[in-house]
């Protein structure tokens, strides 16, 4: 039977941005939408958001398990290595972490599941390192696609998949929009982790803050492009706490709560405005 998911038109889509450990807030946003009966027909994710998008697409009725996974996550599960190992990797190979442990973590939760096994169609965005294009990965095994999408330059090595080398999708699409191009969805709920608080940063935190400033601009442009194409966009961007290191998972519970409260309040306000205008 031919795969029609690439040509179908959908009503509701979810777009999950990248964001490292901050992407935990997306679990709270999912909970708020679920409580209000919103059901997506297409999801897409970039980097950390790709992982949440794919797991949700595989188990859309088990948000509690998704939350448990995030809450149990530790830095060493994704970003292994002592300071000496990190420095050695950087000097010898140009990246600070090996990706083996991250891939084992994904395998422990996805196994050999494929995109064809998903209950909700899903696309994962990565960047082809050779031709510089954003690529939507949406067939075959899920884990290699996730590894391609989270291959943050300088943090992980490029990921080789089916003869091509990929890096993090956030290089071009912090908020994934290409999976919704061509009017494939009429409504998109966008879960963005690029908030920047009014404070200063020092040391390596400046790099993280600078990346978020660029990511926020890209997400705004992406949302505008979708709206220009006739798509109704609900952009959720909760005010997240400043983290010294986006590889740390110490504030996961707070991030989930903040994401939930942001989406809940914005959805409730939208409902009030709709009722008032009826």
């Amino acid at each position: 039977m031919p795969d029609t998911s690439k040509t179908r038109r959908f009503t509701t889509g979810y777009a999950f941005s990248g964001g490292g450990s901050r992407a935990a807030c997306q679990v709270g946003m999912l909970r708020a939408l679920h409580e209000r009966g919103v059901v997506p027909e297409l999801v897409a994710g970039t980097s950390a958001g790709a992982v949440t998008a794919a797991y949700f697409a595989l188990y859309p009725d088990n948000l509690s398990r998704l939350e448990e996974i995030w809450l149990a996550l530790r830095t060493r599960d994704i970003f292994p290595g002592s300071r000496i190992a990190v420095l050695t990797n950087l000097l010898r190979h140009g990246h600070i972490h090996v990706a083996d442990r991250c891939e084992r973590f994904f395998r422990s939760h996805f196994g050999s599941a494929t995109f064809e096994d998903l209950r909700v169609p899903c696309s994962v965005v990565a960047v082809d390192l050779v031709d510089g294009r954003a690529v939507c990965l949406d067939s075959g095994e899920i884990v290699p696609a996730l590894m391609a999408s989270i291959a943050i330059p300088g943090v992980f090595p490029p990921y080789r998949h089916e003869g091509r080398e990929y890096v993090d999708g956030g290089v071009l699409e912090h908020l994934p929009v290409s999976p919704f191009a061509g009017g494939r969805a009429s409504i998109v709920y966008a879960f963005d982790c690029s908030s920047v608080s009014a404070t200063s940063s020092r040391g390596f935190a400046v790099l993280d803050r600078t990346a978020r400033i660029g990511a926020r601009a890209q997400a705004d442009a992406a949302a505008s492009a979708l709206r220009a194409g006739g798509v109704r966009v609900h952009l959720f961007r909760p005010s997240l706490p400043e983290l010294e290191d986006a590889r740390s998972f110490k504030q996961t519970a707070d991030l989930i709560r903040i994401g939930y409260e942001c989406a809940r309040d914005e959805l409730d306000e939208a409902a009030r405005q709709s009722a008032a205008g009826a």
Side-chain angles (χ1 to χ4, degrees):
M1 180 178 295
D3 179 7
T4 60
S5 64
K6 297 180 179 62
T7 57
R8 279 179 55 196
R9 295 294 183 265
F10 301 91
T11 299
T12 304
Y14 286 178
F16 296 78
S17 80
S21 61
R22 293 182 181 89
C25 71
Q26 296 170 345
V27 180
M29 299 182 205
L30 279 172
R31 178 72 68 185
L33 285 160
H34 178 76
E35 289 179 354
R36 284 151 185 78
V38 180
V39 179
E41 297 167 287
L42 174 66
V43 301
T46 293
S47 199
V51 182
T52 298
Y55 194 87
F56 171 76
L58 190 60
Y59 304 110
D61 300 322
N62 202 348
L63 292 183
S64 295
R65 178 55 183 155
L66 178 59
E67 183 171 344
E68 289 170 3
I69 293 171
W70 267 103
L71 289 170
L73 196 56
R74 298 295 178 264
T75 299
R76 63 180 178 271
D77 297 326
I78 306 296
F79 306 105
S82 65
R83 291 183 179 180
I84 293 177
V86 165
L87 181 59
T88 300
N89 284 331
L90 181 60
L91 293 176
R92 290 183 178 177
H93 307 294
H95 56 83
I96 60 178
H97 296 291
V98 295
D100 298 8
R101 188 171 296 181
C102 180
E103 188 161 5
R104 287 198 298 271
F105 177 81
F106 291 161
R107 288 285 179 194
S108 71
H109 294 290
F110 289 93
S112 58
T114 68
F115 283 92
E116 291 72 26
D117 296 324
L118 298 177
R119 293 174 58 189
V120 180
C122 175
S123 292
V124 167
V125 176
V127 172
D128 189 311
L129 191 57
V130 175
D131 63 19
R133 294 183 304 110
V135 179
C136 293
L137 304 174
D138 54 13
S139 63
E141 278 200 64
I142 295 169
V143 169
L146 297 181
M147 293 301 298
S149 186
I150 61 93
I152 309 167
V155 176
F156 290 122
Y159 189 79
R160 191 165 186 81
H161 176 49
E162 296 183 343
R164 308 291 292 184
E165 285 198 327
Y166 296 98
V167 293
D168 193 301
V171 169
L172 292 178
E173 290 195 25
H174 165 75
L175 184 68
V177 292
S178 51
F180 303 104
R184 295 190 70 210
S186 55
I187 302 172
V188 171
Y189 292 88
F191 308 150
D192 181 33
C193 307
S194 67
S195 67
V196 181
S197 62
T199 185
S200 60
S201 300
R202 296 180 180 180
F204 287 109
V206 173
L207 295 175
D208 176 75
R209 184 177 181 83
T210 303
R212 277 182 289 129
I213 291 171
R216 181 180 61 183
Q218 189 280 324
D220 287 341
S224 295
L226 286 175
R227 291 180 178 121
V231 179
R232 183 177 169 190
V233 180
H234 297 271
L235 179 62
F236 300 139
R237 181 181 291 154
S239 297
L240 302 177
E242 291 292 313
L243 305 178
E244 292 184 1
D245 189 341
R247 298 170 300 170
S248 171
F249 296 93
K250 294 180 180 179
Q251 297 192 52
T252 297
D254 285 340
L255 291 167
I256 292 173
R257 174 184 55 78
I258 292 168
Y260 173 81
E261 292 173 352
C262 169
R264 177 200 63 193
D265 293 347
E266 293 194 25
L267 289 167
D268 287 350
E269 178 60 25
R272 284 192 291 270
Q273 291 182 3
S274 178

